[in-house]
Amino acid sequence: MTDVATPPDETGNAKAYSVSELAFALKRTLEDSYGFVRLRGELSKVTHHSNGHVYLTIKDEKAAIDGVVWKGSVRGLSVRPEQGLEVIVTGKITTYPQGSRYQIVIESMEAAGIGALLAQLERLKQRLAAEGLFEPSRKKALPEMPAVVGVITSPTGAVIRDILHRIRDRWPCRVIVWPVVVQGEAAAAQVCGAIKGFNAMAPGGPVPRPDVLIVARGGGSVEDLWAFNDETLARTVAEGTIPLISAVGHETDTTLIDFVSDRRAPTPTAAAEMATPVLAELKALVSDLGGRMHRCGGRVVDERRGRIEHADRALKRIPDLVRLAEQRFDIVSGRLGAGLARNAAAHERDLVRVASRLSPLLLERPQQVQKDRLDRLTVRLEPSVRRRLERLSERLDGLSKLYGSVDPDRPLQRGFARVARADGSLVHAGASLASGEAVAITFGDKVTRQAVIDGAGGATPPPLTPAKPAKARPKPEGPAQGDLF
């Protein structure tokens, strides 16, 4: 810094240097102090310029430094600079005076491994893939003709204008924009809230529920797009019920939600094309199908007309066909009489031939055989049948005698009577009857009399008191049964 530390001027103040003088003095100082450095870090914002130079940023967890690889040194690099690649570079520190920035001019580069962020992302991707979140079978089909399209993006960027313009040109539908930030720490949480909010809308509500969602953002570095590699966001996308198209970054940019979304679009404009059909193409298709339908109908009508005309030409020969059939009928009817006569004569000859062998003896002989057999059976069966009848008659006589001995009405013929209670049960002993009990007495002539028991059963009635002589009742003749009446 000897060039800068100059003595003061006549006024005693330090000399005022121009901006260029100071900038180039700092440039020389850095180049002299750090003319050769070896630096390790992760590449970011890699840009291959059309003039052959490569501009990039080398970073770690706390800092970042810009770098440049001049065209002449690009061919000598051992690895191709790529986004997220962890490398070890060799070069010198210099400044860019026009922008007051310092940078490293890279002369050599070698790979040091996958970047920490990309390694972390790769582990998360493998874990979600193992859970089945990337399976094609769980992805939902996009609607053919959506009525409402929901867009989750920044309301101030060029992305939303491109999407709206593209949808307006293709398909007349309603677009609902949920504004979010698409970069930084709050981006993932806001996008998650927007996806959940759209899915929570009830069909038929004041705000129509979208048929398809688009999550869109323009291109950028890995750091700019890192919010879309969030695990919570990926799971929210997988749990949604509305089909979702991810359109984050450009075609070469890949984020985690690209794997869990139902469709991935290379650009936001392509996402609008995936979500909506082209109305003009549908009209042309309908018109083409209508023309084809009319042409097919015309061909069917022409074919039917040709068939009818062909049938008409064939129907003109009906008299010829009738005459031919009539001629065949005449021939056959002429042969019918002679054929019937020949048939009757043949049957008559067969009948005569068979009748000559028929005689009454043919019928009498089987009858005689059956009669002789019946006589033999009668002779054999008559003794056994007679003996069996005798045994059955004897058995019947015995049963008749047994029946007479057990007939309950037979003792009544010898002067006995049958006494029964009111419930129909028979009285076997007089002692079992109570005083005042009603009984029914049946005699041999089938006459039944009702009676009431007077006095205790089986006991002798007490003697009459002589103090008051009573008029004696005449007792009936026969057995002493007065106490029963």
Side-chain angles (χ1 to χ4, degrees):
M1 293 293 290
T2 55
D3 295 336
V4 178
T6 57
D9 56 7
E10 306 82 35
T11 61
N13 295 325
K15 181 182 177 180
Y17 292 97
S18 65
V19 176
S20 299
E21 290 176 346
L22 180 60
F24 283 99
L26 293 173
K27 176 180 175 66
R28 287 191 298 272
T29 301
L30 282 176
E31 289 178 350
D32 293 338
S33 301
Y34 300 96
F36 178 84
V37 293
R38 187 173 174 82
L39 185 64
R40 177 169 181 160
E42 181 179 338
L43 297 182
S44 176
K45 300 181 181 179
V46 179
T47 303
H48 295 267
H49 202 273
S50 59
N51 57 15
H53 305 320
V54 179
Y55 300 95
L56 49 83
T57 300
I58 303 175
K59 66 172 185 176
D60 58 10
E61 294 83 0
K62 298 180 180 180
I65 181 173
D66 293 337
V68 60
V69 185
W70 303 124
K71 178 174 62 175
S73 301
V74 172
R75 297 186 182 90
L77 299 179
S78 60
V79 296
R80 175 181 172 82
E82 293 181 355
Q83 189 86 9
L85 183 66
E86 189 173 359
V87 296
I88 299 176
V89 299
T90 302
K92 64 179 180 179
I93 302 298
T94 184
T95 64
Y96 182 66
Q98 296 180 357
S100 299
R101 299 193 306 269
Y102 69 93
Q103 63 183 5
I104 179 172
V105 178
I106 300 172
E107 298 176 355
S108 66
M109 179 186 296
E110 61 186 46
I114 302 176
L117 292 177
L118 293 183
Q120 179 184 1
L121 176 61
E122 187 64 26
R123 289 192 296 271
L124 176 59
K125 188 187 301 183
Q126 292 177 0
R127 179 155 54 86
L128 295 181
E131 295 180 12
L133 268 65
F134 301 165
E135 291 295 330
S137 58
R138 57 158 297 277
K139 296 183 182 296
K140 298 175 286 294
L142 301 181
E144 295 290 338
M145 292 179 286
V148 181
V149 177
V151 181
I152 304 172
T153 187
S154 173
T156 59
V159 171
I160 185 61
R161 292 194 297 271
D162 294 341
I163 292 176
L164 293 176
H165 177 72
R166 195 59 177 161
I167 292 178
R168 189 184 305 113
D169 292 342
R170 292 170 59 88
W171 181 249
C173 66
R174 184 171 181 178
V175 179
I176 301 177
V177 180
W178 194 301
V180 295
V181 295
V182 292
Q183 183 174 339
E185 296 180 357
Q190 291 190 16
V191 175
C192 286
I195 296 174
K196 292 180 180 178
F198 274 130
N199 281 276
M201 289 182 178
V207 179
R209 189 172 190 262
D211 300 315
V212 63
L213 299 180
I214 299 176
V215 178
R217 188 204 186 281
S221 63
V222 174
E223 294 81 5
D224 298 337
L225 304 178
W226 194 253
F228 295 93
N229 292 321
D230 184 73
E231 180 180 0
T232 304
L233 177 58
R235 294 187 182 276
T236 302
V237 172
E239 293 171 359
T241 57
I242 302 176
L244 186 141
I245 303 173
S246 64
V248 178
H250 296 300
E251 188 170 359
T252 57
D253 298 325
T254 303
T255 58
L256 192 60
I257 68 168
D258 293 334
F259 297 95
V260 295
S261 62
D262 299 301
R263 289 285 296 274
R264 176 186 180 270
T267 62
T269 304
E273 295 176 354
M274 289 181 181
T276 57
V278 181
L279 181 60
E281 293 180 357
L282 292 178
K283 290 181 178 179
L285 177 62
V286 171
S287 178
D288 180 65
L289 292 176
R292 291 173 59 184
M293 182 180 66
H294 287 298
R295 289 192 295 272
C296 291
R299 285 197 297 269
V300 171
V301 172
D302 294 339
E303 180 185 357
R304 297 293 190 273
R305 183 182 293 111
R307 292 173 61 181
I308 291 174
E309 293 176 353
H310 178 74
D312 180 63
R313 290 192 296 269
L315 289 175
K316 293 179 179 179
R317 297 181 302 148
I318 290 179
D320 298 336
L321 298 175
V322 172
R323 294 191 189 97
L324 180 61
E326 185 178 359
Q327 182 179 3
R328 292 175 58 188
F329 178 76
D330 293 340
I331 295 173
V332 172
S333 61
R335 297 175 180 174
L336 183 60
L340 291 175
R342 288 194 298 272
N343 188 34
H347 282 81
E348 184 179 1
R349 288 194 299 272
D350 294 339
L351 179 60
V352 170
R353 185 170 56 255
V354 173
S356 61
R357 292 179 295 179
L358 296 176
S359 64
L361 294 177
L362 294 176
L363 298 177
E364 293 175 358
R365 187 179 299 110
Q367 292 178 357
Q368 186 63 36
V369 171
Q370 296 296 332
K371 183 178 179 181
D372 295 342
R373 185 180 178 185
L374 180 60
D375 294 340
R376 288 193 301 271
L377 290 175
T378 302
V379 172
R380 292 173 55 188
L381 292 176
E382 184 176 0
S384 60
V385 171
R386 185 180 296 107
R387 286 192 300 271
R388 183 172 179 80
L389 290 176
E390 291 176 355
R391 286 195 299 271
L392 292 176
S393 178
E394 294 174 357
R395 185 178 178 184
L396 181 60
D397 294 340
L399 291 176
S400 299
K401 295 177 181 179
L402 179 62
Y403 174 77
S405 64
V406 298
D407 186 7
D409 294 333
R410 188 171 181 181
L412 302 181
Q413 303 297 329
R414 299 196 299 269
F416 293 95
R418 184 166 57 243
V419 182
R421 292 186 175 89
D423 57 359
S425 60
L426 298 178
V427 178
H428 299 282
S432 63
L433 294 174
S435 177
E437 183 176 358
V439 295
I441 302 175
T442 303
F443 298 96
D445 56 356
K446 305 299 182 180
V447 176
T448 301
R449 300 296 184 181
Q450 302 295 329
V452 177
I453 301 300
D454 185 12
T460 305
L464 297 176
T465 304
K468 280 187 172 182
K471 186 178 181 178
R473 290 187 304 175
K475 293 184 179 181
E477 299 179 359
Q481 296 183 358
D483 55 344
L484 296 179
F485 297 100

